[in-house]
Amino acid sequence: MQIAIIDYDAGNTKSVSKALDFIGIENTITAVKKTILEADGIILPGVGAFPQAMAALEERDLIAVLQEAVAHGKPLLGVCLGMQLLLDSSEEFGYTQGLGLIPGHAKLLPDTAKIPHMGWNQLEVKQDSPLTRDQDGNFVYYVHSYYAVCDAKYVMASSDYSVEIPGIIANENVYGAQFHPEKSGQAGLEILQGFKEVITCASSQQ
């Protein structure tokens, strides 16, 4: 199994790679179309601002590559800002179109919450999936100011932070984690193992 970690100068690619190394999943940090399309699964990390991240993906011709990979059934996991990029759009610094892989919109956290949301919060599992198995009540590490607003059918797990924050979302073979699995200790490693299970299942069906 090989996971392609998308390299577009807007993500914590090395820490994601180290977490995958730790649990024995082969991975490569890449922006090469052929490598991405030939990988068994894809992780899209992300830190920083939504508009700049989308611009960086566009500059590297990665938007069409990611959409093509998903259309062919390739499992994709977005992490933190990478999760928000999976949505239709974001209001950060004005309206910016996203990848459109999970219906929804990224919105600024409400005034009732301390911004940015930084620290450990509990997950409440809403739907069963390999990524949410045995995760109910576990603590994961968040760093963000915007959150996903989407239909409940796409929310696999959430956290309470003045407002309900979708922690894990999914739409068919596309998954997103608003928190950082690679910084969330054993719980985070188990979530990455769950993504490995998703990839294994997808590969067996091809």
Side-chain angles (χ1 to χ4, degrees), residues 55-119:
L57 289 174
E58 185 173 12
E59 287 170 7
R60 292 161 176 78
D61 296 321
L62 290 171
I63 293 176
V65 174
L66 292 171
Q67 292 170 336
E68 178 182 348
V70 167
H72 290 152
K74 194 89 63 182
L76 167 63
L77 171 63
V79 173
C80 195
L81 175 61
M83 185 196 95
Q84 295 175 16
L85 297 176
L86 303 176
L87 302 171
D88 294 318
S89 61
S90 172
E91 67 175 30
E92 186 172 8
F93 298 116
Y95 175 88
T96 303
Q97 187 174 342
L99 293 170
L101 300 174
I102 299 179
H105 177 71
K107 182 179 179 180
L108 182 66
L109 287 165
D111 293 340
T112 52
K114 183 179 179 181
I115 302 174
H117 174 202
M118 184 180 299

Side-chain angles (χ1 to χ4, degrees), residues 5 9 27 36 39 58-59 64 86 91 98 116 122 127 139 145 151 154 177-178 187 192:
I5 302 170
D9 294 334
N27 62 90
I36 295 168
E58 185 173 12
E59 287 170 7
L86 303 176
E91 67 175 30
Q122 264 184 313
Q127 300 185 52
F139 283 83
S145 298
D151 192 281
Y154 301 114
Q178 179 60 75
L192 292 175

Side-chain angles (χ1 to χ4, degrees), residues 109-161:
L109 287 165
D111 293 340
T112 52
K114 183 179 179 181
I115 302 174
H117 174 202
M118 184 180 299
W120 296 83
N121 285 81
Q122 264 184 313
L123 284 176
E124 180 183 350
V125 171
K126 303 291 187 179
Q127 300 185 52
D128 291 331
S129 80
L131 276 71
T132 59
R133 186 180 302 125
D134 299 323
Q135 292 296 325
D136 195 54
N138 284 346
F139 283 83
V140 291
Y141 187 74
Y142 287 91
V143 183
H144 67 113
S145 298
Y146 290 76
Y147 72 108
V149 177
C150 56
D151 192 281
K153 68 182 179 181
Y154 301 114
V155 180
M156 303 289 109
S158 65
S159 294
D160 181 27
Y161 185 70

